[in-house]
Amino acid sequence: MPEINRRTFVGASIAVGGVVATPPLVAGCGEGEHDTGQSSTVRLRINGETREISVDNRTSLLDMLRERAGLTGTKKGCDQGACGACTILVNGSRINSCLTLAVMHDGAEITTIEGLARNGRLHPLQQAFIDEDAFQCGYCTSGQIMSGVGCIIEGHTGSPAEIREQMSGNICRCGAYTNIVTAVANTARA
C-alpha cells in the first residue's frame, strides 16, 4: 500500500472537491448572469424617471443600480454595509444599497448621486463639497453626499457632533471628515 502524506492528501482533496463543486456553479450561466429561473421585474422611480428592470431575485439594490440601470455613481466599497459608499435615498430615507435586495423596493422612489443636480446646477451639498474641499480621492464622496442629504432631510444637523454621529456609518479613508461636516453644516444652514 502506497504511503500518502498530508500534502498529497490535501492536494487530491482540493482537486476532487473542485471538480465536484464546479459544475453546479457554471451550469446555466450565460453572459455574466446565473439563470435560476427566479427573476422579477421591479418598477421603480429612479432619479425622477420611471423604470422597469428585470433582475434575479438575489440581486442587491446596489448591483441593480450599477449593472442593470447603468448608474455607477453609487459605489461598491465593502459590500457588507460597513463603509457607506453605497448610500442612496429610498423614499427619502438613506440606506446602504448593498444590504437590501432590489425586489424588496418594487414601487419605491430612489435617488442616487446622479439624481441630485437640477437643470444643470449641482445640489447645494455637492457644491459645498467642492467649496469646502470635502473630498480627496473621491471614492466615498457619492455616499458621503447622499448621507449628508439624508441628514439634512432628517433634521440631524443641529451641531457638528450630531452630524458626525449621524454620518458615522460613512468611512472616508482619506480623512476629510472635518471638511465633510463643515459642508453638511453650511448646506443645512443655507
Side-chain angles (χ1 to χ4, degrees):
M1 176 165 221
E3 189 173 316
I4 187 165
N5 62 27
R6 182 178 179 279
R7 184 176 305 233
T8 305
F9 176 77
V10 170
S13 298
I14 291 171
V16 170
V19 169
V20 171
T22 302
L25 292 175
V26 296
C29 292
E31 297 177 14
E33 293 187 33
H34 301 284
D35 182 13
T36 64
Q38 298 176 352
S39 63
S40 299
T41 298
V42 290
R43 289 158 193 84
L44 307 155
R45 190 149 175 84
I46 304 173
N47 299 327
E49 178 186 334
T50 301
R51 305 271 305 260
E52 288 189 11
I53 301 172
S54 179
V55 294
D56 182 297
N57 291 343
R58 302 168 296 175
T59 302
S60 71
L61 185 54
L62 170 64
D63 288 340
M64 184 208 69
L65 289 169
R66 290 183 58 80
E67 298 168 12
R68 306 291 292 173
L71 299 169
T72 57
T74 304
K75 301 301 182 202
K76 184 180 274 198
C78 66
D79 213 20
Q80 298 176 2
C83 73
C86 67
T87 303
I88 62 170
L89 301 178
V90 175
N91 298 325
S93 297
R94 56 196 161 135
I95 67 164
N96 290 335
S97 60
C98 72
L99 292 181
T100 187
L101 298 174
V103 294
M104 296 170 64
H105 299 285
D106 191 36
E109 176 81 30
I110 295 175
T111 306
T112 68
I113 193 72
E114 292 93 343
L116 289 182
R118 295 281 182 251
N119 301 319
R121 292 182 52 115
L122 293 176
H123 183 279
L125 187 55
Q126 290 173 307
Q127 187 61 53
F129 263 62
I130 294 167
D131 296 344
E132 298 300 328
D133 198 25
F135 55 91
Q136 288 182 31
C137 82
Y139 196 81
C140 73
T141 303
S142 61
Q144 295 279 0
I145 290 173
M146 296 309 296
S147 188
V149 168
C151 279
I152 294 167
I153 290 170
E154 296 159 10
H156 295 300
T157 58
S159 69
E162 182 179 20
I163 294 169
R164 280 192 298 275
E165 175 64 28
Q166 291 297 314
M167 294 193 55
S168 63
N170 290 79
I171 296 172
C172 173
R173 291 190 174 115
C174 299
Y177 295 113
T178 302
N179 298 3
I180 290 169
V181 170
T182 300
V184 172
N186 289 348
T187 303
R189 278 194 298 266

